[in-house]
Amino acid sequence: MTELAYGSGKAFQRRHVLGWSLISLSGAVLSVAYLATVLILTPEQWSAFGLAGGIAAAGLTVFAQALQRRFSRPILDAIDAIAAGDSAPDGFRIAFARLTHLPYRSARDTLIVWSGAAIFVPCFLAVALESVSIFTCIAIAMATLSGGTIAAVFMFFGIKQMVAPLVDEWAQSLPDGSERAELMPDVSLSTKLAVPLLAVSTVTLSFALLLSYALASRPVEAQDVRVKQAYLEYSVDELAKDADAIGRLREIGAAFSATHAMLIIDRRQRAIVDGPPDGMRPAEIEWLLGQTEEATGESTGFDSPNSFAWLNLEADGRRVLVAVTPGSVFAADQLATSMAFAGVTFIALMITFLTCRALARDVSVTTQRLIGRAERIADGDFLAQDVVESEDELGVLGRTFDRMVDSLREMLGRVAAAADGLDRAVNDLGAIGEAVTTATDDQRADIEQATAQVAAVNHKVSQITGNAQALNANVEEASSSILELGAASEQLNQTATTLSSHVEEVGGSIEQMIRSVAQVGENTEGLVAGVSETASSMSEMAVAMTEVDTNATHAAGLSSQVVELSERGQERVHETISGMEAIRDTTETADEVIGSLAGRMAEIGAIVDVIDDVADETNLLALNAAIIAAQAGDQGRSFSVVAEEIKDLADRVLSSTKEIGELIRAVQNETANATEAIGRGTERVLSGVELAAEAGLALEEITGAARGSGGRIQEIVHAVREQAGAARHVAGLMDHVSAQVEDIQEAGREQERGNDVMVRGAHVTRDVAQQTQRTTEEQSRGAGRIRHSMESIRDTVDQIHAGLQEQTHSCRSTVSFLEQVFERTCSNEESSLRLANATRALGEQAAALRDGVNRFRIQ
Amino acid sequence: MASSVLTANEGQIELACFEIEGQVVGIDVFQIREIIRNQETTPLPNAPALIEGVIDLRGQVIPVIDLGRALAQGCSKGGTSARIAIVEIEELIFGLRVDAAVDVLSVASGTIEGPPALATHSGYAAIRAVVRCKDAPPVMVLSLDQILESVYRSNSRAGEEPR
């Protein structure tokens, strides 16, 4: 609290007493002015009235001040405590409640005090003076009540204006709106507007009616004229001739209060024959002469607007006898009437003007502050902490504003936090997407390389297969040759036993055998060449296998990296979705708050309708008053100005209520815009959730594909390793083949040597038949060994063939696996692209959201 | 001729002005008792067609005439601004329904003229005078006697549409 509205309790008290006294004094002056307009009082009556008024004012003021002092004690204590530096003293809430009730309390006390005066003063006058009539008493009571009512109205507005800065200052110390509402009086705007307007209008109109009644048709005066008439008729015989009798009758009449003055007027000469009595003003006499000259016949005494009675003394009506109360005729004086109406008009105008000004000020100050607040909120400034307080619906509206600002601030804070999280998630997602793309590219390159290598392997394998087939054909050929050799050996063996007879045959057979052996040697050399080619192919193949193994292992590592990255991406996507859902929840809260605001606006609209009704009623009243004034003729002319003013006032109220209605409609439009904007925000959030879910789906696909390709690659590695094992096995078998081939060669060479011996022996056939038989047996054994070896080779070659078939199959499946992996990689690439697109869209949404949030200043 | 009808002592005449179908008509204030808000009327069987019905005004039953129909200008529009003017001529009290009560106008006798001759020659003149206004169309001063006459002449509700 930098600056205090009131430095001390005493200053506040002085200001309060001063305001009270000034407004009471104005009310008193107003009452006296009214009274002077309506009544013509004698100096004696005036002094009695002054005495009674003084006593009433002194006594009732003391009483009222005592009441007020007791009521405002907590306020003064709180002001002193705050001035001493205690920001939240004990009883601060009671003091706040008393402060806000003070204008109502002051207005009520004023009304009580003046009502007391309205009873006391007429009673005092009636007791003290006999000459005071009932009409005078009623007029005094009404004038006092009128003054009191107007003083109460202005007391309310005056005190309210006085306490307004203090109420504002203290309301900032009580931030809880519902607590303030509990402490403050509950007065609706329509009551606040209608009661003062109706009170002032009623007082003005009733007083005007009283005035016109007093001036135009006084029942008291009519009664007076009737008494005068009766008295004149009663005494006409006596005073017809004797002039002295007039004086005597005058005294008697005065004693009976029948008449105060009697005079005889000559109509033709327009002169007073007898009289005039004391106390009659020349203007009165002049007016009396004019009236009797124009009038014909006699006064009836009942409906006469005059205050005198007359009677013809002669048949021709030349002389008339007039009974009159001095001073009373002046009541009908037009000049005086006009002056009175002018005075009433002026006072009534002043009062209505001041009331309307106070009313408009009271409502418009609060409304202006509310509008300022609403404009700041509309500009996005949520930091301004000015509490707008009033005890009527505008106060309720102000408190609703506070609540709305709080919930909007909270909501925007949560939206900003969610936007930050979203931003981070989008950045992470982008990085992950890039890593996935890079990894996928690498993987694809690796797989292409692997495919090329596998194709190379396949080529080699088919080469090997060709070689193996050639080998097989050679072996078959060798085998058949060996079988032939075996058969020839057997035959040789048989023939050898009967050697002598078949020497020529032996020679032919030997030649045939030599040719066969040479052919075996040739075949064996072809086999050696095939075997060495196979062995070299096998070693080349082993090198390729190792390369395939390395690449496949690398691809497997990349696949698991892809899986890991994708899982992290999925986590981020789940965080994003939960952030979006939080945004949607807060948006719904804002929607509800705005809905309650719209409800308040509709209530204010209903109040404005009530005011509209009151103004319409006032308009009708004013029109009727104007007609009555017009019927009163010249006398009512001045009052018609009052009626005109009241009618204008009602028209102005009607146009103001129309403006307020437009204002409310504008606020309702703004509320609808806000609801629409929030709806758009919700749509954006929903599309963000969808995009994030899509990104999650893409990531899941990637994970599945990467896992699948990892499994395939593992299978490839496994197959390659198996194949390598098979190749090694083939190499081993080839070595075995090589050794066996060498055995065959050895056997072939042995046979050749045997053949040489045979050739030599053939020449000495007979001699060496036994030797031939042995050699032949030996040769037969060698052929059996060769056949055995050949069969073993054929088995081995079959095994190689089978191994190669298996390898070819493995190669094909590898190729198909690699193709599958390639497809997966392509789909990974596609998914990465979609992920990148989704991430970019998400990033745009996050940026739009952040822009929206940055428009509001909340921290 | 008309100014002799509208005699005035001070040379000033007070007219209460009403609106019928956008046209402003005036009635001498001395013929008006009061103006009240528009209310629902209770129909009166066998009454002249121009009489819409009766209303209860503080215990007194008062017949109501739609001034728009009586002047052959169409029915009055009703609505929130509609009023009933309670008038009195020759101790006969009845109500006139109007679209709106406008103002009380004080006019000098000099600005009053008789109705156009063409209108009066047709035999029926609901207008007894015309008041010239400075910045507005002229105000027609109504003759309540003639309006009453047309009410008497109008057939009962079962008959034809009144003029």
Side-chain angles (χ1 to χ4, degrees):
Chain A
M1 282 179 208
T2 50
E3 195 153 333
L4 297 170
Y6 292 97
S8 67
K10 270 192 181 162
F12 181 81
Q13 176 74 5
R14 270 203 302 278
R15 188 81 189 276
H16 184 198
V17 171
L18 185 68
W20 175 283
S21 311
L22 276 178
I23 293 168
S24 296
L25 199 64
S26 312
V29 169
L30 198 68
S31 293
V32 171
Y34 264 8
L35 209 58
T37 320
V38 177
L39 290 180
I40 297 168
L41 293 180
T42 59
E44 184 185 25
Q45 285 172 330
W46 271 120
S47 53
F49 174 72
L51 182 64
I55 291 169
L60 291 168
T61 302
V62 168
F63 172 65
Q65 284 300 322
L67 279 182
Q68 291 278 319
R69 204 179 288 270
R70 234 182 77 193
F71 184 74
S72 57
R73 170 60 52 197
I75 305 174
L76 307 183
D77 289 347
I79 291 173
D80 283 338
I82 288 168
D86 183 3
S87 62
D90 297 336
F92 179 67
R93 300 183 64 218
I94 296 171
F96 183 76
R98 290 275 172 98
L99 187 71
T100 49
H101 279 85
L102 194 63
Y104 297 91
R105 188 73 178 215
S106 298
R108 196 198 71 181
D109 289 351
T110 308
L111 212 57
I112 290 173
V113 165
W114 282 78
S115 300
I119 295 166
F120 173 76
V121 174
C123 291
F124 183 87
L125 281 181
V127 171
L129 294 175
E130 287 177 1
S131 63
V132 174
S133 65
I134 290 175
F135 175 76
T136 309
C137 287
I138 290 169
I140 288 170
M142 278 189 73
T144 316
L145 263 183
S146 301
T149 309
I150 287 161
V153 168
F154 282 96
M155 191 69 80
F156 171 73
F157 287 115
I159 300 293
K160 192 152 189 293
Q161 202 176 339
M162 186 189 109
V163 301
L166 205 54
V167 168
D168 279 349
E169 189 184 300
W170 286 7
Q172 313 295 336
S173 306
L174 286 169
D176 186 3
S178 59
E179 192 187 348
R180 288 203 304 274
E182 225 169 80
L183 294 174
M184 290 175 67
D186 184 18
V187 179
S188 77
L189 202 59
S190 57
T191 315
K192 207 157 85 176
L193 292 177
V195 166
L197 262 181
L198 274 181
V200 171
S201 300
T202 312
V203 163
T204 315
L205 280 175
S206 65
F207 191 77
L209 287 175
L210 183 75
L211 185 62
S212 60
Y213 183 76
L215 292 177
S217 57
R218 300 184 177 193
V220 178
E221 296 294 341
Q223 183 68 23
D224 194 27
V225 171
R226 205 155 51 174
V227 170
K228 286 188 180 86
Q229 183 79 20
Y231 184 71
L232 286 181
E233 278 171 11
Y234 166 75
S235 54
V236 69
D237 293 337
E238 278 190 55
L239 48 79
K241 301 110 197 174
D242 188 1
D244 292 337
I246 293 171
R248 205 165 54 247
L249 284 171
R250 190 181 291 147
E251 280 165 19
I252 295 168
F256 283 100
S257 300
T259 179
H260 292 94
M262 286 174 79
L263 59 160
I264 297 168
I265 292 173
D266 190 326
R267 276 179 166 175
R268 278 187 209 155
Q269 290 178 0
R270 202 184 149 86
I272 294 174
V273 180
D274 187 67
D278 298 335
M280 278 196 83
R281 283 174 253 181
E284 259 182 305
I285 294 164
E286 192 60 31
W287 184 78
L288 210 58
L289 285 172
Q291 289 291 310
T292 48
E293 190 181 32
E294 280 173 19
T296 55
E298 297 173 0
S299 62
T300 57
F302 293 97
D303 53 357
S304 168
N306 305 318
S307 55
F308 61 95
W310 78 91
L311 203 66
N312 288 330
L313 284 180
E314 286 97 19
D316 61 357
R318 174 176 176 153
R319 284 195 309 155
V320 290
L321 181 66
V322 180
V324 66
T325 308
S328 65
V329 295
F330 238 61
D333 191 322
Q334 289 189 346
L335 181 68
T337 311
S338 300
M339 289 300 288
F341 269 117
V344 170
T345 306
F346 179 72
I347 292 168
L349 267 180
M350 285 306 290
I351 289 166
T352 44
F353 171 73
L354 289 173
T355 313
C356 287
R357 195 161 158 270
L359 262 174
R361 195 188 144 80
D362 188 58
V363 176
S364 74
V365 164
T366 318
T367 314
Q368 287 296 333
R369 289 183 56 193
L370 270 176
I371 290 168
R373 185 95 202 268
E375 277 171 354
R376 277 198 298 284
I377 292 171
D379 291 345
D381 184 5
F382 288 88
L383 292 175
Q385 278 290 349
D386 49 345
V387 174
V388 179
E389 201 41 272
S390 178
E391 67 277 3
D392 46 32
E393 283 87 344
L394 293 174
V396 177
L397 190 63
R399 287 191 285 279
T400 314
F401 260 95
D402 290 347
R403 270 187 19 235
M404 184 182 79
V405 167
D406 284 351
S407 59
L408 279 177
R409 276 180 69 182
E410 192 194 334
M411 182 196 87
L412 282 167
R414 275 158 63 190
V415 168
D420 283 346
L422 193 63
D423 235 15
R424 278 201 300 280
V426 166
N427 285 338
D428 288 357
L429 214 55
I432 288 165
E434 272 174 27
V436 167
T437 313
T438 317
T440 310
D441 284 348
D442 285 358
Q443 197 181 10
R444 199 174 61 175
D446 285 344
I447 285 167
E448 274 167 3
Q449 204 179 340
T451 311
Q453 281 161 357
V454 167
V457 167
N458 211 356
H459 183 66
K460 295 285 182 197
V461 167
S462 40
Q463 255 182 330
I464 290 168
T465 310
N467 289 337
Q469 271 166 359
L471 180 66
N472 208 353
N474 287 340
V475 167
E476 287 284 327
E477 220 172 312
S479 189
S480 70
S481 297
I482 283 163
L483 279 176
E484 270 177 39
L485 178 72
S489 291
E490 286 292 320
Q491 214 179 344
L492 182 65
N493 207 7
Q494 280 174 2
T495 315
T497 48
T498 54
L499 193 63
S500 55
S501 57
H502 297 299
V503 172
E504 278 92 3
E505 265 179 66
V506 169
S509 292
I510 287 168
E511 275 170 17
Q512 199 178 352
M513 193 181 73
I514 287 167
R515 277 201 305 279
S516 294
V517 168
Q519 209 169 348
V520 167
E522 272 172 36
N523 287 343
T524 310
E525 270 165 19
L527 181 69
V528 168
V531 165
S532 65
E533 205 175 329
T534 304
S536 77
S537 293
M538 284 321 283
S539 62
E540 268 178 43
M541 193 174 81
V543 172
M545 283 296 159
T546 319
E547 224 169 306
V548 168
D549 194 9
T550 313
N551 285 331
T553 314
H554 187 49
L558 288 173
S559 285
S560 61
Q561 207 177 335
V562 167
V563 169
E564 199 189 319
L565 289 172
S566 301
E567 276 167 358
R568 266 171 58 198
Q570 262 176 308
E571 270 172 35
R572 289 302 182 191
V573 166
H574 285 314
E575 277 174 31
T576 309
I577 289 173
S578 66
M580 289 289 189
E581 273 162 8
I583 294 173
R584 200 177 51 193
D585 285 353
T586 47
T587 312
E588 275 165 14
T589 317
D591 215 21
E592 276 169 30
V593 170
I594 289 171
S596 82
L597 183 67
R600 293 290 182 197
M601 282 298 163
E603 280 171 32
I604 293 181
I607 295 159
V608 171
D609 285 347
V610 170
I611 298 173
D612 221 25
D613 262 9
V614 170
D616 195 36
E617 187 69 44
T618 311
N619 191 333
L620 189 62
L621 275 172
L623 201 65
N624 273 319
I627 287 173
I628 291 170
Q631 285 173 351
D634 280 345
Q635 296 176 344
R637 182 143 300 156
S638 312
F639 180 64
S640 67
V641 178
V642 182
E644 185 80 13
E645 284 301 322
I646 290 171
K647 189 167 166 291
D648 282 354
L649 198 68
D651 287 344
R652 286 220 303 273
V653 170
L654 279 172
S655 69
S656 320
T657 52
K658 215 170 284 168
E659 273 171 32
I660 292 172
E662 277 165 21
L663 210 74
I664 287 169
R665 265 192 294 285
V667 172
Q668 276 168 338
N669 282 344
E670 286 300 321
T671 312
N673 282 349
T675 312
E676 204 186 315
I678 285 174
R680 279 206 300 276
T682 311
E683 271 173 31
R684 278 192 187 173
V685 168
L686 284 177
S687 78
V689 169
E690 270 175 31
L691 284 171
E694 215 176 293
L697 225 62
L699 281 173
E700 251 171 52
E701 270 177 40
I702 290 176
T703 313
R707 276 205 188 114
S709 68
R712 297 290 182 193
I713 288 168
Q714 286 298 334
E715 273 176 46
I716 291 173
V717 168
H718 193 65
V720 164
R721 279 184 190 156
E722 239 176 58
Q723 204 175 1
R728 268 196 300 279
H729 185 53
V730 169
L733 284 176
M734 285 321 284
D735 285 349
H736 193 50
V737 168
S738 193
Q740 280 170 342
V741 166
E742 271 173 22
D743 271 3
I744 293 170
Q745 271 179 328
E746 183 67 25
R749 271 194 297 273
E750 227 171 87
Q751 203 173 9
E752 241 174 306
R753 274 195 305 276
N755 283 346
D756 287 344
V757 174
M758 239 182 347
V759 170
R760 273 194 312 270
H763 293 294
V764 281
T765 311
R766 287 167 207 151
D767 299 334
V768 288
Q770 276 186 328
Q771 197 181 347
T772 304
Q773 204 172 354
R774 276 199 311 274
T775 312
T776 310
E777 277 169 9
E778 203 178 318
Q779 196 174 10
S780 189
R781 274 202 305 277
R785 270 172 64 194
I786 290 173
R787 200 171 61 219
H788 185 71
S789 289
M790 281 319 287
E791 273 167 12
S792 152
I793 287 172
R794 205 167 56 187
D795 284 354
T796 312
V797 169
D798 280 347
Q799 274 182 24
I800 291 172
H801 200 251
L804 285 172
Q805 290 286 336
E806 203 181 313
Q807 196 173 11
T808 309
H809 185 69
S810 290
C811 274
R812 278 204 197 108
S813 72
T814 305
V815 168
S816 80
F817 283 150
L818 281 171
E819 276 168 1
Q820 278 178 26
V821 171
F822 189 72
E823 274 172 27
R824 296 288 181 185
T825 310
C826 285
S827 82
N828 272 8
E829 242 183 342
E830 216 175 281
S831 300
S832 303
L833 275 177
R834 266 159 55 201
L835 175 68
N837 282 339
T839 308
R840 203 166 42 242
L842 209 56
E844 280 166 16
Q845 295 287 348
L849 192 61
R850 172 156 301 283
D851 280 357
V853 172
N854 282 344
R855 270 190 58 224
F856 300 102
R857 291 193 293 280
I858 53 168
Q859 278 167 0
Chain B
M1 189 181 84
S3 55
S4 68
V5 179
L6 289 169
T7 43
N9 291 334
E10 294 87 4
Q12 288 287 116
I13 297 152
E14 307 285 345
L15 290 175
C17 295
F18 301 100
E19 205 178 290
I20 294 287
E21 292 288 313
Q23 191 187 349
V24 178
V25 300
I27 296 175
D28 192 352
V29 288
F30 285 100
Q31 289 175 322
I32 291 179
R33 285 185 56 171
E34 63 179 312
I35 300 166
I36 58 172
R37 276 171 191 266
N38 191 17
Q39 351 181 326
E40 284 289 310
T41 55
T42 310
L44 213 56
N46 287 332
L50 281 179
I51 291 181
E52 289 218 332
V54 293
I55 56 168
D56 180 355
L57 181 65
R58 295 189 285 276
Q60 197 177 359
V61 175
I62 292 174
V64 173
I65 296 164
D66 190 324
L67 192 56
R69 286 206 309 155
L71 295 175
Q73 301 264 15
C75 288
S76 62
K77 285 184 292 248
T80 52
S81 69
R83 304 277 190 252
I84 294 175
I86 307 295
V87 298
E88 177 177 4
I89 53 166
E90 293 161 5
E91 295 182 351
L92 195 63
I93 297 172
F94 58 97
L96 290 173
R97 175 170 291 143
V98 294
D99 286 346
V102 182
D103 209 347
V104 175
L105 204 65
S106 182
V107 296
S109 334
T111 59
I112 297 172
E113 289 178 359
L118 198 62
T120 51
H121 280 177
S122 62
Y124 166 62
I127 300 163
R128 65 166 168 166
V130 178
V131 175
R132 282 181 278 109
C133 296
K134 210 181 280 176
D135 298 320
V139 175
M140 306 294 160
V141 183
L142 297 180
S143 164
L144 292 185
D145 300 334
Q146 289 290 341
I147 287 169
L148 259 189
E149 195 65 32
S150 70
V151 168
Y152 291 146
R153 272 185 302 185
S154 66
N155 297 326
S156 67
R157 207 167 289 269
E160 283 180 356
E161 188 70 15
R163 285 187 299 160

